[in-house]
Amino acid sequence: MVIELGLTQQASQFNEALDIKTAPATQKTTEETAQASKAPEQQGDTVVISQEARALAAAVKSEETESDSKDSDSKSTQEQLISSLEKQIEKLEEEIDELEESDLPEKQKQQQIQAKQAQLMQLNDQLLKAQQEQLELEGQVSGGGTSAQGFGNSLADF
């Protein structure tokens, strides 16, 4: 009997908590009353966007457009850099081939080839970095996926 009485009280409190109480009616703005008078047959919710909100939305949209154009500019300059580096690498490889076939003394030939190979390695490094930057601009990572944020590289970071 005591258990039933306790359960009954809890059930009634629960039912009271679930009752949805409507908020008191608020005054409508002139835009809302004008909208209601224009289309009284419509049912459902009406959303009115203020001028301030429209101005903020326009500002955000213009910032997105500017950032998109900056990204495309940086992509095109990155692509130009990559193609320029590739051309320089091809030219150096041709010069190395010519040096190998030249009639210079062996010691002098080896020194020039080594200097050209050092330049070639530097250009290859620059090309690799430029290609990685282009991948990052495109939202990719050289590992083939997208970058993860918020996690460390070792167990000590956890």
Side-chain angles (χ1 to χ4, degrees):
M1 181 72 105
V2 175
I3 296 174
E4 289 179 16
L5 184 60
L7 288 175
T8 312
Q9 289 176 345
Q10 287 180 348
S12 66
Q13 289 174 351
F14 183 70
N15 285 335
E16 289 174 6
L18 289 178
D19 286 340
I20 298 174
K21 298 177 177 115
T22 57
T26 58
Q27 292 182 343
K28 292 184 177 181
T29 63
T30 56
E31 289 179 357
E32 290 173 333
T33 55
Q35 185 70 19
S37 65
K38 287 181 186 175
E41 69 278 351
Q42 292 180 351
Q43 292 186 354
D45 296 334
T46 305
V47 177
V48 179
I49 300 174
S50 69
Q51 293 297 331
E52 294 169 356
R54 290 181 185 164
L56 287 173
V60 168
K61 189 172 186 178
S62 67
E63 287 176 6
E64 289 174 353
T65 306
E66 288 175 7
S67 68
D68 289 344
S69 65
K70 288 179 185 176
D71 287 345
S72 64
D73 290 345
S74 63
K75 283 182 185 176
S76 64
T77 56
Q78 198 68 24
E79 290 171 356
Q80 290 173 355
L81 175 65
I82 289 172
S83 65
S84 171
L85 287 171
E86 288 173 341
K87 289 177 185 176
Q88 289 177 5
I89 289 172
E90 287 178 21
K91 184 179 177 184
L92 266 177
E93 288 174 343
E94 290 173 2
E95 290 176 7
I96 291 172
D97 289 339
E98 289 174 7
L99 280 173
E100 289 175 346
E101 296 174 3
S102 70
D103 294 334
L104 292 173
E106 196 63 32
K107 187 175 183 181
Q108 188 179 6
K109 187 190 300 187
Q110 289 300 324
Q111 288 175 347
Q112 290 181 2
I113 289 174
Q114 286 178 352
K116 298 282 184 185
Q117 286 177 338
Q119 289 177 354
L120 184 63
M121 286 177 27
Q122 289 177 347
L123 288 175
N124 279 328
D125 288 342
Q126 290 176 3
L127 177 64
L128 181 63
K129 288 179 184 177
Q131 288 172 338
Q132 286 176 342
E133 287 178 14
Q134 184 180 15
L135 287 174
E136 289 174 4
L137 287 174
E138 293 173 355
Q140 300 177 357
V141 180
S142 61
T146 57
S147 60
Q149 297 177 356
F151 294 101
N153 292 333
S154 69
L155 290 174
D157 292 340
F158 289 104

